[in-house]
Amino acid sequence: MTGYQIGILAHLIGVILFFAGVAIAAVVVSAARSRENPSEIALILGLARHGAILLAAGGVILLLAGFYLSGKIDGYGQRWLEISILLFVVSLVLGYLGGRRSRSVREYAVGLAERGEGDTQTLRTMLESRAMAWLYWLSAITAVIVLVLMVWQPGS
């Protein structure tokens, strides 16, 4: 295997891990919304950490391999690559913000389940937050746009 082939393999592994993390986060939040019991909600939202770990690991591998590959093909300075990197960072930031909201919902659910602090209506309102849903959706859509740009590579 050449260095370029190893770079492509690492880049693809990063993409798979990244999108697996995105999928886990989406499934976890969706599953939590369908539950009523605060302890179940807390348990389900706790699984989001596994998705975040996959997403972060995939993101790091993806970026490192992507920078390596860009150097191999003289990709630096190409507009599609600059836009892709910018959108990737935007996707990470949006996902991070959504994850922080999800964590606060989990912590509230834990408090409600263990100590009876708070009320289930507030928990339901937090779970149904449009802001959290928008952050996750915008993060995922932005990541898909990056994927399209990476495959299409307009102008190259």
Side-chain angles (χ1 to χ4, degrees), residues 115-135:
R115 298 176 296 280
E117 295 175 357
D119 65 301
T120 55
Q121 184 56 41
T122 301
L123 178 60
R124 179 62 36 206
T125 301
M126 292 172 78
L127 274 173
E128 300 297 329
S129 165
R130 289 189 185 269
M132 187 169 63
W134 273 105
L135 287 168

Side-chain angles (χ1 to χ4, degrees), residues 61-129:
I61 293 168
L62 205 155
L63 276 175
L64 292 175
F67 284 133
Y68 172 79
L69 291 171
S70 292
K72 287 286 194 186
I73 62 167
D74 286 333
Y76 297 116
Q78 293 187 27
R79 181 63 79 204
W80 69 267
L81 183 58
E82 294 167 351
I83 292 170
S84 295
I85 292 169
L86 175 68
L87 289 175
F88 183 72
V89 170
V90 167
S91 176
L92 289 176
V93 169
L94 291 170
Y96 172 77
L97 294 173
R100 285 185 55 97
R101 285 181 174 264
S102 179
R103 183 175 13 163
S104 68
V105 173
R106 180 181 54 81
E107 290 169 354
Y108 188 85
V110 166
L112 187 57
E114 291 178 354
R115 298 176 296 280
E117 295 175 357
D119 65 301
T120 55
Q121 184 56 41
T122 301
L123 178 60
R124 179 62 36 206
T125 301
M126 292 172 78
L127 274 173
E128 300 297 329
S129 165

